Structure formats: structure tokens, C-alpha cells
Amino acid sequence: KEEIEKKKKRLRSSLKSIKTNPDAISSRIGKVLKYGKEHPYGEIQTIEDIDNLNSESCKEYYNCYFIPNISYMVIVGDINVNEAKILVKKYFSTWEARDIKKGTYEKPEKINGVRVTFVEKPGAVQSVISVIYPIKYKVGADNAHNVQVMSSIFGGAFSSYLNANLREDKAYTYGARGYVSPDKWVGSFRAGASVRNEVTDSSITEILYEMKRIRNEEVSKEDLNRIKNNLMGNFALSLEDPKTIARFALNIERFNLPKDYYQTYLSKLQEVDVSNVEEAANEFIHPDNCIILVVGNKDIAKTLRKFDSDGIIEYYDIDGNLQEREEIPLPEGLTAQDVINDYLMAITNKSSMDD
């Protein structure tokens, strides 16, 4: 019980520190928005969750999920198969298999239109911008190499469209990135950056522009070859690390990949052409159907309404709860001069009444 209480104290402290970290807030709320609180990927830890932890619930979890029939053991080193089998049998043969509890969950819904969501971070001098949505994209998909190249050109590499635009050209940020990420159950898209308050709306405009650009404009052969060479070089270097070999072996088993998946990686990467990149972009890059999440100073929220399909911003707290906040759209046809005239009329009338 003493150990449990120590752990709970650390968890409470960690959760409290999230309030001061806009990047952590963005990651936390992004999960809720992409997957929903009812999906395992959308679950976020709350104080109530921590308070409810006890030794019995930990034991129950351990007994349910720490079992050999859903486990993998990968061994990489100066050892042969027979030696490895002897050791595994010696130390794990008494580990009993058991049935596992399996849940069923609804797949996250596709985003329709553009939703602008906002989490207030008082006193923030920067905005953390994330453009996000779930996608149907599994590890080892037939077009995985095409998607990896496209994703790197768009936002994954230092020389990507996003970084070249927001960092090198506009100087809005120290770095902008975007990724199309596969998963066994449900993949995801994310593009974003941390930018100065005053360029928050301009940065979103540029992110959406680059999303449209990768879909509509043919990538240059120079960009294509540079990214492919970069990916191939990184892959070759990674093979020097035994942990990489272990991860590859595990991936083949976990995701039911072809046995030669990594042996043919370089040749398949080399085959990716301009048309493959265009196809991948049109399948996974959706600037007109996405969630725009901004964590920052509340004063910049009003500048984001123009991006939302229905003109209404959704406000959330750090626990992913929707906040009731009235969004009153501007009257149609209202101009800056109208506001000035109304203000002058109001103070003139007030002056007359005071007299």
C-alpha cells in the first residue's frame, strides 16, 4: 500500500504539471478529439482515476493481461535458436496461459467539415497548433512505402513542405512537422507547430495550404529523390542497432507482416514514383475534413472562427470536457466603420445624458 500511495502521489504531481505545459495539453486533448473518450486511445488520466487506484485493481490487471499467450519474446545476440529455447523453457515453462478479456469498440468516426477547438492556456505567449484526425491506415499496408515518402515530403523531414514554409520562409516557428501514422487498429494524421500568438491564424492558413498543395501539385523529382535517399540512408544506419532488429522481428509477428517485409523495404521504397505520392496524399490528407486544435491565449480564439465550417469554436478544459461558451457570430455585413460609428454614437448619447 505504501508503494501504491507513493506512485499515486507522483501521478498527481505529473498530472498537475500538465496544466503548465501547452504541448502536453495539446497531446492530451488531441486524443479525446480524434478517438472519443469511449475509445481506449481516447482515454486520459484524471485525478479521479488516480484516487481510485489500489493494490487490488493493480493485481487484477496483472493477472488478466500479464500472460504468455499474448506475449512475445525476441532475442537478438550471440546465441543460437536451440540455446535460446533451452533458456526460455527453463525460466518460462511454468507460466500459465489464461483466457483474456477482450473488448469491442466502435471505430472513430470520419471528420466531416473543419472543426476548430480551443483550450485556454492563460498567459501563453505561443499557440500550440495541431491539425488532426483519425484514418484507416494499418501497419504494413500495401501502400505503406508510398505513404511514408509522401508523409516525409509533406511534414516528416526537416526539408518538408511544412517546415520550409513556416520555419524557413515565414519564420513563424522553430519547427513544423506533419505525419501520417499507421496503427494496428486505427491510424492518425497530425500536422502542427508552436507559433507566436500574433501569427496563429496565419500559421493555420499555411498548414492548410500545404495540405492542399501536397494533394493538388505534383511533387518535384528532386524532392522525391532527396526524401527517398534520406529514408534509405536512415534505414541502413538503423540496422546497426540490435534493438532495431528486435523491433523488426516483433513487428512481423505482431502485425502479421510478410516474412521478407524488411528485406524488401529498400527495393520497394526505390519504386515509389510521383503518381504514388499523389495517390497517397489524396487518400490521407484531408484539409476540408479535419480538427484544428489550438492551445493558447484566449485573446487569439476569436481569430480562428473563420476556419470552422459552421463558424462556432468548441472550447475544452484540460480533461477534455466541452465548455459551455456562447459564440455569437458577427452580424452579416458588419464593417469596422459601422463599429466606430456605433461607438461614437454611444459615447455622444452618454455625454448628453450626463449633462
Side-chain angles (χ1 to χ4, degrees):
K1 289 184 178 180
E2 290 78 9
E3 290 299 321
I4 292 288
E5 289 306 315
K6 287 180 183 178
K7 181 63 177 176
K8 289 168 71 171
K9 185 177 180 180
R10 289 195 292 268
L11 287 172
R12 290 190 189 99
S13 177
S14 177
L15 190 58
K16 190 176 296 184
S17 70
I18 288 177
K19 295 180 180 180
T20 63
N21 187 334
D23 289 298
I25 295 172
S26 180
S27 175
R28 178 178 170 88
I29 304 307
K31 294 193 296 184
V32 174
L33 295 174
K34 276 190 294 186
Y35 307 111
K37 283 188 174 182
E38 300 306 313
H39 193 279
Y41 287 3
E43 289 183 359
I44 57 175
Q45 194 174 65
T46 65
I47 288 293
E48 290 74 18
D49 295 327
I50 298 171
D51 290 341
N52 289 333
L53 285 173
N54 56 55
S55 58
E56 290 305 314
S57 62
C58 291
K59 288 176 182 177
E60 181 183 354
Y61 184 89
Y62 176 85
N63 290 328
C64 181
Y65 295 107
F66 282 65
I67 53 179
N69 41 306
I70 58 167
S71 301
Y72 301 88
M73 174 169 286
V74 181
I75 301 172
V76 178
D78 186 15
I79 184 173
N80 63 42
V81 174
N82 289 332
E83 291 170 337
K85 285 183 176 180
I86 291 172
L87 292 173
V88 171
K89 186 174 181 180
K90 177 180 178 181
Y91 291 103
F92 292 93
S93 60
T94 59
W95 194 13
E96 294 183 3
R98 289 188 298 275
D99 292 335
I100 184 173
K101 296 178 182 178
K102 291 185 177 181
T104 56
Y105 305 96
E106 295 292 330
K107 291 286 179 69
E109 294 183 5
K110 180 181 177 182
I111 307 301
N112 290 316
V114 178
R115 290 172 53 195
V116 176
T117 59
F118 192 87
V119 181
E120 181 182 353
K121 173 64 175 66
V125 296
Q126 282 193 320
S127 298
V128 177
I129 302 169
S130 296
V131 179
I132 54 178
Y133 48 85
I135 55 177
K136 187 178 179 181
Y137 177 38
K138 292 193 174 185
V139 177
D142 292 340
N143 61 346
H145 301 84
N146 304 341
V147 178
Q148 186 179 18
V149 172
M150 180 277 295
S151 179
S152 297
I153 293 173
F154 166 71
F158 184 82
S159 60
S160 67
Y161 285 2
L162 272 184
N163 204 49
N165 185 332
L166 274 73
R167 174 190 162 100
E168 304 299 329
D169 183 40
K170 303 295 191 307
Y172 288 164
T173 179
Y174 287 113
R177 290 291 188 271
Y179 303 96
V180 178
S181 303
D183 182 80
K184 185 174 183 178
W185 307 112
V186 54
S188 65
F189 170 87
R190 180 191 178 276
S194 296
V195 303
R196 305 188 310 277
N197 285 348
E198 60 270 22
V199 296
T200 301
D201 59 337
S202 300
S203 298
I204 294 174
T205 297
E206 296 305 322
I207 292 173
L208 295 176
Y209 165 78
E210 294 300 348
M211 292 174 70
K212 293 173 183 176
R213 178 186 172 198
I214 192 72
R215 283 174 57 94
N216 300 328
E217 292 184 15
E218 189 176 90
V219 300
S220 69
K221 290 186 177 180
E222 180 184 0
D223 283 340
L224 178 64
N225 291 329
R226 183 180 66 252
I227 291 299
K228 285 164 61 173
N229 290 335
N230 184 44
L231 290 172
M232 288 188 286
N234 289 339
F235 179 82
L237 286 173
S238 72
L239 297 177
E240 298 179 7
D241 187 347
K243 291 192 292 292
T244 299
I245 307 299
R247 178 165 52 85
F248 287 173
L250 180 59
N251 286 347
I252 288 172
E253 294 300 321
R254 286 185 63 204
F255 305 119
N256 195 30
L257 303 178
K259 297 300 182 183
D260 64 348
Y261 184 82
Y262 293 102
Q263 290 172 300
T264 61
Y265 175 84
L266 292 177
S267 61
K268 289 185 177 179
L269 199 63
Q270 188 62 54
E271 293 171 0
V272 177
D273 61 24
V274 171
S275 65
N276 296 144
V277 172
E278 183 180 1
E279 290 170 4
N282 278 278
E283 182 173 357
F284 293 113
I285 307 297
H286 304 300
D288 297 323
N289 296 285
C290 63
I291 299 168
I292 299 174
L293 168 62
V294 177
V295 179
N297 193 303
K298 65 179 181 180
D299 293 337
I300 58 97
K302 60 181 178 293
T303 68
L304 311 179
R305 191 180 293 124
K306 60 189 175 186
F307 298 108
D308 193 283
S309 293
D310 59 12
I312 299 176
I313 299 174
E314 301 170 25
Y315 293 87
Y316 288 85
D317 63 18
I318 66 164
D319 286 330
N321 299 312
L322 186 63
Q323 302 293 286
E324 292 296 332
R325 192 175 302 197
E326 186 178 7
E327 281 285 334
I328 304 175
L330 294 175
E332 187 174 350
L334 183 68
T335 66
Q337 190 60 51
D338 292 333
V339 175
I340 293 171
N341 292 340
D342 288 345
Y343 172 72
L344 292 174
M345 183 66 71
I347 62 174
T348 301
N349 290 340
K350 182 178 184 300
S351 178
S352 299
M353 291 174 65
D354 291 341
D355 292 342

